[in-house]
């Protein structure tokens, strides 16, 4: 999962990454954008994101893992189809 997070930060402008982010539900997309400082946002800790979203840090952690798996799957599928 750390590899996909690093790839997001490095390759935010790549079409597969943009498309994968666009396909996420709004809440999940917002979590990723805040956590990794994408689209001009400041990178934030899970604790900061949790406070802003009004949920627990442990829930953010679980969501983040689920979201990263979903992003990886979507990016791989898009890359293989191209």
């Amino acid at each position: 999962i750390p590899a996909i997070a690093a790839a997001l930060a490095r390759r935010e402008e790549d079409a597969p990454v943009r498309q994968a982010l666009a396909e996420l539900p709004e809440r999940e997309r917002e979590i990723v954008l805040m956590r990794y400082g994408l689209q001009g946002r400041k990178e934030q800790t899970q604790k900061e994101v949790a406070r802003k979203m009004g949920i627990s840090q442990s829930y953010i952690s679980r969501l983040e893992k689920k979201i990263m798996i979903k992003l990886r799957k979507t990016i791989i599928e898009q890359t293989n189809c191209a």
Side-chain angles (χ1 to χ4, degrees):
I1 293 179
I4 192 71
L8 281 174
R10 284 192 318 270
R11 302 176 58 201
E12 177 182 0
E13 297 305 316
D14 288 357
V17 173
R18 281 195 323 270
Q19 182 64 33
L21 286 170
E23 291 180 15
L24 289 174
E26 184 177 348
R27 178 174 151 173
E28 292 180 3
R29 184 173 46 253
E30 192 60 30
I31 289 169
V32 171
L33 296 177
M34 286 191 284
R35 279 288 291 135
Y36 298 101
L38 303 176
Q39 296 182 354
R41 291 174 169 82
K42 175 185 167 276
E43 188 174 328
Q44 298 175 46
T45 65
Q46 287 180 346
K47 186 175 185 176
E48 291 169 323
V49 174
R51 188 173 47 245
K52 288 182 180 180
M53 303 287 290
I55 55 181
S56 72
Q57 182 178 348
S58 63
Y59 190 52
I60 286 290
S61 179
R62 289 192 305 271
L63 282 174
E64 186 177 340
K65 287 175 188 170
K66 180 183 124 189
I67 295 165
M68 290 297 120
I69 291 167
K70 190 184 298 188
L71 283 172
R72 181 183 323 138
K73 180 181 175 200
T74 302
I75 290 168
I76 288 170
E77 287 173 356
Q78 290 174 2
T79 304
N80 289 338
C81 290

